[in-house]
């Protein structure tokens, strides 16, 4: 058994033509040393692999897919693809199952999605460096959840997830929980996400990591357990660089989490690794010098907010006041004509207001 075990976790991966047209050794060059020095490496695989002509599902928001080249591009850099997210079923169950098979065939294990809800909810068990490690991956209730009879992602059920953590805690040295959800473009996690993440930590998780907001959020050590509230994007390509909702879109925050064996258990630590996706000549660049100092200072400030419950509440109310205007516009769709694809798509925005936890 090793005395020190290190994981690397990255945010949303969604490469398209420009990134995939670049030499991967050049694209990943700045972070390859970090990947090579880690024992287990994760990334959120944000969209299904499209191997055939699949019809998109009816939903609100973007419908996304990637070619098989997106899997090949990763090479041997990652060990686990996290599939519980809001796009994993964008092109239906067949495309999702193709995605799982393609990733597994390439040597990348998958978690968080499957042929039905039971399969999707299974933790992934890995033995590494003499340690038994369990990985749980769940997402919010949008349009991608598996059912008893159909493929999809594993949904967040806070109490069931906590019970699962406690159960597998008995047979594993390390339990990792990856969630996908929260409010997009908000640098401060909502009170609900903070409470949920801490509850998972108190239930026996050794680390809790969230993705989805598309920008980095704060980190903390809660009762000895590292929590990263959002890793931001990793390699998320937009056709029009100017269409990003925020400049923070291009800044990601993978984390390195270290478990150091002590007599009383593991001493856990977390380190943010600020990166920038540069698109002119596509590559992932670690921030350095004054840019890194500025980012880490910002991260420290937003992380302090998380420690103040009253302040977290205030920030969330401010965010909800601003974004509520946009979401309120979706209320008009409650009278959409559900007999037409256009009406059903419009209504899906209204449906999401009531069904998605965020």
């Amino acid at each position: 058994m090793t005395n020190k075990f290190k994981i690397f976790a990255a945010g949303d991966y969604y490469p398209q033509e420009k990134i995939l047209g670049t030499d991967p050794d050049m694209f990943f060059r700045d972070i390859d040393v970090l990947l090579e020095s880690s024992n287990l490496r994760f990334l959120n695989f944000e969209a299904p692999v499209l191997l055939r002509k699949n019809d998109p599902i009816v939903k609100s928001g973007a419908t996304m897919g990637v070619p098989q080249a997106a899997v090949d591009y990763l090479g041997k850099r990652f060990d686990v693809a996290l599939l519980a997210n809001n796009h994993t079923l964008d092109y239906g169950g067949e495309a999702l199952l193709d995605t799982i098979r393609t990733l597994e065939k390439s040597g990348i294990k998958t978690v968080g999605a499957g042929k039905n809800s039971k399969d999707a909810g299974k933790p992934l068990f890995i033995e590494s460096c003499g340690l038994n490690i369990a990985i749980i991956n769940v997402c919010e209730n949008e349009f991608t959840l598996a059912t008893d009879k159909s493929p999809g992602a594993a949904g967040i059920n806070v109490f069931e997830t906590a019970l699962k953590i406690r159960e597998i805690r008995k047979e594993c040295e390390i339990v990792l929980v990856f969630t996908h959800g929260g409010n997009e473009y908000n640098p401060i996690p909502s009170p609900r996400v903070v409470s949920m993440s801490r509850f998972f930590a108190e239930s026996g998780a050794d680390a809790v990591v969230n993705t989805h907001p598309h920008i980095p959020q704060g980190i903390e050590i809660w009762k000895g357990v590292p929590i990263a509230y959002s890793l931001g994007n990793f390699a998320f390509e937009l056709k029009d660089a100017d269409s990003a909702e925020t400049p923070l879109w291009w800044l990601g925050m993978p984390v390195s989490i270290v478990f150091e064996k002590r007599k009383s258990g593991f001493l856990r630590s977390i380190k943010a690794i600020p990166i920038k996706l540069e698109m002119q000549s596509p590559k992932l660049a670690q921030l350095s010098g004054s840019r890194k100092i500025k980012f880490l200072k910002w991260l420290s400030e937003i992380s302090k907010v998380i420690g103040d419950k009253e302040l977290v509440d205030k920030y969330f109310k401010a965010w909800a006041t601003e974004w509520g205007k946009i979401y309120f516009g979706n209320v008009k769709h409650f009278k959409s004509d559900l007999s037409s694809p256009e009406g059903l798509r419009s209504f899906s925005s209204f449906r999401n207001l009531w069904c998605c936890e965020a």
Side-chain angles (χ1 to χ4, degrees), residues 59-279:
K59 56 173 285 190
S60 63
T63 304
M64 307 193 318
V66 295
Q68 181 172 338
V71 177
D72 301 335
Y73 198 75
L74 294 172
K76 302 298 181 183
R77 290 179 172 86
F78 287 90
D79 305 293
V80 181
L82 308 167
L83 297 182
N85 62 59
N86 60 312
H87 291 288
T88 202
L89 202 64
D90 275 6
Y91 281 85
E94 187 179 64
L96 170 58
L97 296 179
D98 282 344
T99 302
I100 294 172
R101 285 190 290 264
T102 303
L103 286 162
E104 297 276 356
K105 188 175 180 180
S106 76
I108 300 175
K109 297 182 182 300
T110 64
V111 65
K115 60 186 178 183
N116 52 45
S117 53
K118 183 178 180 180
D119 189 42
K122 288 179 181 177
L124 172 65
F125 295 95
I126 293 178
E127 185 176 337
S128 179
C129 301
L131 296 169
N132 292 316
I133 300 156
I135 300 112
I136 294 173
N137 183 209
V138 290
C139 66
E140 289 182 348
N141 176 25
E142 292 203 61
F143 304 96
T144 61
L145 299 195
T147 71
D148 291 344
K149 297 180 180 180
S150 64
I156 290 176
N157 180 307
V158 175
F159 302 108
E160 286 184 4
T161 301
L163 288 173
K164 190 177 294 182
I165 293 168
R166 292 176 183 178
E167 186 61 31
I168 61 179
R169 168 86 278 163
K170 301 171 186 176
E171 54 187 286
C172 295
E173 284 88 5
I174 294 177
V175 180
L176 306 173
V177 178
F178 292 90
T179 60
H180 191 92
N183 303 112
E184 293 179 323
Y185 317 123
N186 185 1
I188 309 295
S190 71
R192 177 188 60 83
V193 171
V194 173
S195 297
M196 177 187 73
S197 301
R198 290 175 175 176
F199 183 48
F200 290 160
E202 292 175 14
S203 297
D206 289 286
V208 181
V209 177
N210 185 57
T211 55
H212 177 63
H214 295 304
I215 64 172
Q217 293 180 341
I219 58 177
E220 68 173 344
I221 300 288
W222 180 256
K223 299 187 178 180
V225 177
I227 300 176
Y229 285 99
S230 174
L231 303 181
N233 291 326
F234 180 57
F236 199 121
E237 182 175 340
L238 297 176
K239 288 186 177 179
D240 177 10
D242 294 329
S243 66
E245 296 280 352
T246 166
L248 288 171
W249 179 277
W250 307 107
L251 293 179
M253 191 190 75
V255 292
S256 176
I257 302 177
V258 177
F259 303 88
E260 191 170 351
K261 187 71 174 176
R262 299 292 175 88
K263 288 183 179 179
S264 58
F266 284 106
L267 176 66
R268 311 170 190 91
S269 61
I270 184 170
K271 179 183 179 183
I273 304 162
I275 60 170
K276 183 178 182 182
L277 172 59
E278 297 182 354
M279 288 303 298

